Amino acid sequence: MEIHWWQILLLSLYAGYQILDELQIYSSMSAPVFAGLFSGLVMGDITTGLLIGGSMQLTVLGVGTFGGASRIDANSGTVLATAFSVALGMDPEQAIAAIAVPVASLMIQLDILARFANTYFAHRIDTHVENMNFKAIERNFLLGAAPWALSRLVPVFLALAFGGGLVENVVSYLNGDLKWLGDGLSVAGAVLPAVGFAILLRYLPVKKHFPYLILGFVLTALLTTVFSNIQLLGSSVASVVKDFSGTFNALPMLAIALIGFAFAAISYKNGQARPATNTAQNEQHSEGEIEDDEI
């Protein structure tokens, strides 16, 4: 399958937009899972897009930027991995390890370049602040978005427009003479989400809330079994009874999310009630104390 010019255009424009959304708009369209959804829609294979996007989302689950630190660009990696995986018939796990992660790591350098280029507009804004030139301040603020967008748009466009032949040769080698390496990359791509969970658990207060961690794993296992058995039962009945049209979906994570929301609500309410209790206790302790003006 060939990547058409309109697909290259749409994916490149999205790559330029997603960093602006991440910096200021915050609509969640810059999440790797949404990048996979959008790329899958454009390429005509939503399943592959969501698989790659979801895996990259889990891979960077515990990775955050503190201060001015740069992190890997999982969105651009997801866009390119999805596009080439669908176009070349590449295994999604292999695309994650061979394309998504390396591209996401290389994009750190362009992120730093965008930050340096943006200082030009920052200094111009400082000058206009002193002169109280509000129109120029607004204009330079908007122009500052250009380095950020171009730092993603240009490399994604070049990779999609001119990198197809190179990626196709690499895929043919990975599935031919270097099949052992291709299989290893597929395994590595499947394991990467676990790495993201490990990073996240490293920074979460697991020791303090380990009962919730154990409860989450147990509930996930139990609900997965229950929903899977219900789905299997429904499929078996549907294969025997012709008029049976019931649909059974395995959605254990929805139940887990609702249970987690319930625990979060309980914790929030307890946290709100605690300061009021402490205030009442302080008032009780203060009763009977002799003030200075009473002596």
Side-chain angles (χ1 to χ4, degrees):
M1 175 184 174
E2 182 184 357
I3 304 179
H4 301 289
W5 67 268
W6 61 270
Q7 293 173 322
I8 295 175
L9 179 62
L10 287 176
L11 293 177
S12 299
L13 289 175
Y14 169 74
Y17 166 79
Q18 55 88 14
I19 183 61
L20 302 180
D21 187 278
E22 180 180 338
L23 292 173
Q24 284 194 334
I25 304 174
Y26 307 115
S27 69
S28 297
M29 291 179 65
S30 59
V33 67
F34 186 90
L37 172 63
F38 182 82
S39 303
L41 284 171
V42 172
M43 296 302 300
D45 190 345
I46 299 179
T47 302
T48 300
L50 287 175
L51 179 60
I52 295 176
S55 298
M56 289 300 292
Q57 183 82 62
L58 296 176
T59 301
V60 298
L61 195 62
V63 178
T65 54
F66 305 98
S70 296
R71 63 175 175 84
I72 64 174
D73 186 3
N75 301 327
S76 298
T78 298
V79 170
L80 292 179
T82 303
F84 288 126
S85 177
V86 175
L88 304 176
M90 192 177 184
D91 182 68
E93 284 81 9
Q94 192 179 93
I96 293 170
I99 299 177
V101 174
V103 168
S105 301
L106 288 174
M107 292 295 288
I108 294 177
Q109 311 305 324
L110 293 176
D111 183 86
I112 296 173
L113 179 62
R115 293 174 186 271
F116 272 103
N118 220 17
T119 57
Y120 170 76
F121 299 102
H123 288 306
R124 287 178 61 87
I125 290 175
D126 290 339
T127 302
H128 293 308
V129 167
E130 295 178 358
N131 299 329
M132 304 293 286
N133 189 346
F134 298 107
K135 289 292 184 181
I137 294 172
E138 181 180 353
R139 183 172 60 253
N140 282 275
F141 174 79
L142 295 176
L143 288 174
W148 286 108
L150 292 175
S151 68
R152 271 68 174 178
L153 188 152
V154 173
V156 169
F157 173 80
L158 293 176
L160 293 174
F162 305 106
L166 174 61
V167 175
E168 188 174 3
N169 291 333
V170 171
V171 172
S172 63
Y173 273 109
L174 290 177
N175 294 328
D177 298 337
L178 298 177
K179 192 174 186 308
W180 59 272
L181 180 59
D183 294 340
L185 290 175
S186 298
V187 174
V191 172
L192 280 175
V195 177
F197 270 107
I199 297 174
L200 181 64
L201 292 175
R202 172 66 178 81
Y203 292 103
L204 288 177
V206 176
K207 294 182 179 179
K208 183 178 180 181
H209 301 293
F210 75 92
Y212 292 101
L213 182 66
I214 297 174
L215 185 62
F217 276 110
V218 173
L219 288 175
T220 302
L222 291 176
L223 290 174
T224 299
T225 303
V226 171
F227 275 86
S228 299
N229 290 337
I230 292 176
Q231 187 180 30
L232 179 61
L233 177 62
S235 301
S236 301
V237 174
S239 63
V240 176
V241 182
K242 295 181 179 180
D243 296 332
F244 185 78
S245 59
T247 301
F248 294 87
N249 295 321
L251 295 173
M253 290 310 299
L254 177 60
I256 295 296
L258 292 175
I259 293 173
F261 177 78
F263 280 128
I266 293 173
S267 177
Y268 176 77
K269 291 183 66 176
N270 291 338
Q272 292 293 103
R274 191 174 295 113
T277 304
N278 293 338
T279 302
Q281 291 176 351
N282 292 335
E283 291 178 355
Q284 291 177 358
H285 288 304
S286 63
E287 291 181 359
E289 291 183 2
I290 300 176
E291 301 293 339
D292 292 338
D293 57 356
E294 296 179 359
I295 299 178

